[in-house]
Amino acid sequence: MTFVITQRCCNDTSCVAVCPVDCIRPRPGDPGYTTAEMLYIDPDTCIDCGACVDACPVDAIYSEYDLSESMSRYTEINAAYFEQNPLDTDDVAFPTPPKRPSADLPRIRVAIVGSGPAACYCAAELLARGSVEVEMFDRLPSPWGLVRSGVAPDHQETKGVVSVFGSSFKSESFQFYLDVEVGKHISHDELLRHHDAVIYAVGAATDRKLGIPGESLPGSHSATEFVSWYNGHPDFSDREFDLSGERAVIVGNGNVALDVARVLTCDVDELARTDIADHTLDALRNSNIREVVVLGRRGPLQAAYSAPEFLALGHLNGVDVVIDQQDVVLDAASAAALDDPDALLSDKLKVDLAREYAQKPADGGNKRIVFRYLVAPSELQGTDRVESVTLVHNTLDDDLAASATEKVERLEASLVLRSVGYRGEPVADVPFDEGRGIIPNHQGRVDGAVGVYTSGWIKRGPRGVIGTNRVDAKETVAQLLADFDAGLLTAPELDRTSLVELVTERQPDMIDKAGWAARDAQEKAAGKAAGRPRIKITARTVSR
């Protein structure tokens, strides 16, 4: 028997650290780790100890005998990875237990701006050192960033990654400052006066534009807005989306686009067992949408979604995945790339799945998720709102760059959501690279700003999955501690008491660790009564 890693893998690598025979790949530092969609277990080396199961924060690892029908293919997928990338036993590095932090280390105080995975991994890495005080700031009244407001509600296990931080954050050395906005309630300079260093891990909060006529028509929105709306983000809970038509179009075919397509077509009773926002449930129960068309300007080999997410679509109850067989006929360059013995396993799987979906007959009574490849919108039409989308058909040349042809078509739709990527926003008084949408840095050290660091998407751009931030955080924290040990950081002028007094004076509604614990308990209690994980509070303030 072997254990198998499945769709929910977040690349956190907690499993790698505990495996006694080092049979999980790729590891941080291995070729392909930074672009890997998931990790894999070598079935020939696994000794069936189950250590990885207990370590996985998102419950993605199963015994091969316990796999559900929807996940049964992962036995084959894990084995195929090692057929292509045989485990080099000469390179096996058995994990060593972490050293206990020394009680004699000099004390360091760090502010972290942001509370998503990148911020939390930084905090956990710092707290593991010992003799560290960490204050975490977020402008929202709840922590966890995109884990709370970005992960789809039908991926509840993925949200379990926050459990990794539970024990670390119980320490008195850690404190939350929620509903506190840096640049409004406290300045960058004031953070530096209270801390040895500041880490900015604020993610990439805005979306990219299409830049086509009609994009501003009512009925045209960013997928970012829609995702935030169904996840109960306080800034978006009052948004309205017209679900009265039968067809929605999503521009872009990354994992966010697939999340949106599932939410629009899923059985509402299944979603009602998740933590989806109540206002979204009400809207979906009255939705008329029967078809969601997902547009990609490249072919199925270059599609932006991950193979695991694409595979999972085939197991949605009452939903057909529809692809025209002509759309999965690869051009010569793509076919050659796929035939290369070194081609990525995930690329081959994406094309195989597209072909399987194209051959599967549709059920006329089901809702539909339709994938269109080699097309791009050139205009949105409508008088006072979106009524249709003009599509331009593309071809792929040898360097895989899409180029338009003269063939166009018009597709009726009442809702258009663009999902073409995230972008970082400037932070007050911190350097910012407008071209790349990141804080300019070298391995996490912010350029030209002593004592200032960055991690996550605002550091490297919007790429990678939740667990990718763990390795990224290690790099940033290593630079920070090296600078501290070298005496390059300025000791704080003011202490923790001064910080509390300053913030509470300017933001009386600030939510600290105890306040978040009470709010968290309130959401869970409401959810338990309704048979759900939690019912989110979407208002910024609640009676306390």
Side-chain angles (χ1 to χ4, degrees), residues 467-534:
T468 312
N469 293 295
R470 185 178 188 182
V471 175
D472 192 64
K474 284 179 177 290
E475 178 184 68
T476 293
V477 170
Q479 305 306 313
L480 187 158
L481 293 178
D483 290 348
F484 179 73
D485 292 341
L488 300 178
L489 304 184
T490 302
E493 303 171 23
L494 302 169
D495 60 14
R496 270 190 150 184
T497 301
S498 171
L499 180 65
V500 172
E501 292 173 352
L502 172 68
V503 175
T504 52
E505 178 184 353
R506 294 180 183 172
Q507 170 53 316
D509 292 324
M510 182 269 290
I511 297 172
D512 59 12
K513 189 162 60 175
W516 164 244
R519 192 177 175 106
D520 185 40
Q522 184 178 344
E523 289 186 343
K524 288 178 178 177
K528 184 177 181 180
R532 300 169 62 185
R534 68 173 66 234

Side-chain angles (χ1 to χ4, degrees), residues 226-278:
F226 191 77
V227 169
S228 298
W229 172 71
Y230 67 58
N231 272 319
H233 190 299
D235 292 349
F236 296 89
S237 58
D238 61 348
R239 298 295 172 90
E240 293 184 0
F241 296 87
D242 185 357
L243 308 181
S244 62
E246 293 193 355
R247 179 185 288 133
V249 171
I250 303 174
V251 183
N253 60 8
N255 284 345
V256 172
L258 269 57
D259 288 345
V260 171
R262 287 198 319 276
V263 168
L264 286 170
T265 56
C266 246
D267 184 333
V268 179
D269 289 336
E270 291 184 18
L271 288 175
R273 295 193 288 270
T274 73
D275 65 351
I276 193 169
D278 283 349

Side-chain angles (χ1 to χ4, degrees), residues 121-173:
Y121 280 121
C122 283
E125 189 72 15
L126 284 164
L127 292 166
R129 171 189 181 272
S131 298
V132 176
E133 292 179 346
V134 174
E135 273 98 14
M136 184 173 286
F137 295 80
D138 200 296
R139 71 178 192 85
L140 295 179
S142 52
W144 318 135
L146 283 180
V147 172
R148 179 178 170 97
S149 62
V151 173
D154 59 346
H155 282 12
Q156 286 298 305
E157 295 85 354
T158 302
K159 301 188 180 196
V161 72
V162 298
S163 65
V164 171
F165 314 117
S167 59
S168 297
F169 290 6
K170 289 179 181 177
S171 165
E172 291 184 2
S173 297

Side-chain angles (χ1 to χ4, degrees), residues 283-317:
L284 290 175
R285 290 192 188 282
N286 296 302
S287 171
N288 291 326
I289 291 177
R290 302 285 304 170
E291 178 177 284
V292 178
V293 181
V294 181
L295 307 179
R297 69 184 187 91
R298 297 184 174 186
L301 178 61
Q302 296 82 26
Y305 49 70
S306 67
E309 292 296 328
F310 195 39
L311 171 60
L313 290 182
H315 297 280
L316 293 178
N317 293 325

Side-chain angles (χ1 to χ4, degrees), residues 9-14 33 36-39 465-468 470-471:
C9 177
C10 71
N11 289 32
D12 170 85
T13 71
S14 295
Y33 170 74
E37 294 183 347
M38 58 179 286
L39 306 182
V465 294
I466 289 173
T468 312
R470 185 178 188 182
V471 175

Side-chain angles (χ1 to χ4, degrees), residues 69 87 115 132 162 209 219 236 306 354 387 392 427 443 446 454 543:
E69 180 183 353
L87 190 66
S115 66
V132 176
V162 298
K209 305 288 186 180
F236 296 89
S306 67
E387 297 172 4
V392 178
V427 178
Q443 296 183 323
V446 174
T454 186
S543 57

Side-chain angles (χ1 to χ4, degrees), residues 315-339:
H315 297 280
L316 293 178
N317 293 325
V319 180
D320 288 325
V321 178
V322 179
I323 299 176
D324 191 311
Q325 294 202 38
Q326 292 184 343
D327 280 356
V328 290
V329 176
L330 301 180
D331 64 283
S334 295
L338 201 61
D339 288 339

